Amino acid sequence: MTYETKPPMDAVDPVAQARALRALHVPGRPLVLPNAWDPVSARLVVAAGALAVATTSAGIAWELGLPDGERLDRDRALDAVARIAAAVDVPVTADIEAGYADDTPDIDATIRIVLAAGAVGVNIEDALYGDPAQDAATPLRPVGDQADRLRVARGAADAQGVPLFVNARVDTYWKSVGDPATRLARTLERAAAYLAAGADGIFVPGVRDPEVIRALADGVDGPLNILAGPGLPTVPELAALGVARVSLGSGLARAAHSFVRSAAQEALTSGTYEALTRAIPYDEANTLLPHP
């Protein structure tokens, strides 16, 4: 198997890549994104057939020795995104958590760095992190405040002339916000406000019920992104429900770490190495990244 390398940054047309990413969001024919956390995982994902690469903030944080949840500073997070974008020849969309900016105007700087890193899409979430007690009481940013942040992101990208795909994450289900009976309505209210503020798509992680997914796809006036994994509808089933984008989130990173744990436990307990029979051959692994 061969692994293609993206041309030098100055040879890449970000506008064309952004348009290509946007065109991949088709309800009923979803863009499937097995999220990557480093250049090697990104190249493996593309070699498997991915048409775009999405990063996982959790995977990047773990790779850099930190827990997930806005613990990374902007420079380290987006440096990782830049290395991923440089390693592949498909559009890259970056998980930038809440935007790596305490103050709304600072979202502008984040987006400019994202574009300089070579990404042409972002996820921006409305969950709040910090004091666990406060987060439990107020787990999400107020709708108006989050809409303002998305509006700044849209303006920053437009000022650079790049049609950045802004995927607004709504964490009502992820954070189990409010009464389950009103959660769908709350989600649709947020989605409408975020789209009006300039978001291009809506990401609702934590939803498992096919009927709720269908209601979201019908009620959101834009491409719907669902977080998938074991126990959720398959990609064809999600397509039939009207989903336009399917993400695996931190799933691949966690699966990779699970393999490390099981292979290490086998060697340290039984003294055998059977798990390693599933490892990528050394020669192939050594060609995953170009030699200088």
Side-chain angles (χ1 to χ4, degrees):
M1 181 176 292
T2 58
Y3 300 90
E4 299 298 327
T5 306
K6 177 179 281 188
M9 190 67 72
D10 58 3
V12 175
D13 182 353
V15 173
Q17 286 220 319
R19 287 174 177 165
L21 177 63
R22 186 176 297 270
L24 291 171
H25 291 77
V26 181
R29 199 176 70 216
L31 169 64
V32 180
L33 295 170
N35 301 64
W37 63 95
D38 65 4
V40 169
S41 60
R43 287 170 72 82
L44 287 169
V45 163
V46 171
L51 301 178
V53 167
T55 69
T56 159
S57 64
I60 289 174
W62 299 333
E63 181 81 5
L64 296 175
L66 293 169
D68 189 29
E70 284 278 303
R71 268 67 171 196
L72 271 178
D73 64 89
R74 178 167 60 196
D75 289 345
R76 292 182 74 194
L78 297 184
D79 177 67
V81 170
R83 286 185 281 108
I84 289 169
V88 296
D89 60 357
V90 299
V92 171
T93 178
D95 177 358
I96 59 170
E97 303 189 72
Y100 302 123
D102 291 333
D103 299 322
T104 295
D106 290 340
I107 295 287
D108 182 279
T110 298
I111 295 303
R112 285 189 280 108
I113 298 170
V114 165
L115 293 172
V120 293
V122 290
N123 280 10
I124 304 179
E125 63 194 60
D126 58 6
L128 288 170
Y129 297 96
D131 180 357
Q134 180 180 347
D135 293 348
T138 311
L140 302 185
R141 196 178 298 277
V143 176
D145 289 355
Q146 183 67 4
D148 286 343
R149 292 168 75 83
L150 292 166
R151 198 171 287 112
V152 170
R154 175 83 280 143
D158 290 349
Q160 297 292 314
V162 179
L164 180 80
F165 191 95
V166 177
N167 201 33
R169 178 169 144 174
V170 183
D171 277 331
T172 43
Y173 284 88
W174 189 250
K175 292 282 190 175
S176 299
V177 175
D179 183 348
T182 63
R183 197 166 293 152
L184 175 61
R186 285 172 178 257
T187 304
L188 292 175
E189 176 191 359
R190 283 180 173 264
Y194 298 168
L195 290 169
D200 299 291
I202 298 296
F203 181 23
V204 187
V207 181
R208 305 181 67 86
D209 186 335
E211 291 310 309
V212 174
I213 295 172
R214 185 187 299 278
L216 286 168
D218 290 343
V220 171
D221 189 20
L224 176 67
N225 183 185
I226 293 296
L227 179 65
L232 272 85
T234 64
V235 170
E237 290 167 343
L238 289 171
L241 295 172
V243 172
R245 174 166 163 169
V246 178
S247 302
L248 300 191
S250 65
L252 286 187
R254 289 183 289 109
H257 299 327
S258 177
F259 177 82
V260 171
R261 180 174 64 184
S262 62
Q265 287 175 339
E266 180 191 353
L268 293 167
T269 54
S270 67
T272 57
Y273 328 103
E274 290 306 306
L276 297 183
T277 60
R278 303 195 303 276
I280 295 175
Y282 172 85
D283 286 345
E284 181 180 347
N286 206 36
T287 61
L288 284 170
L289 296 174
H291 291 280

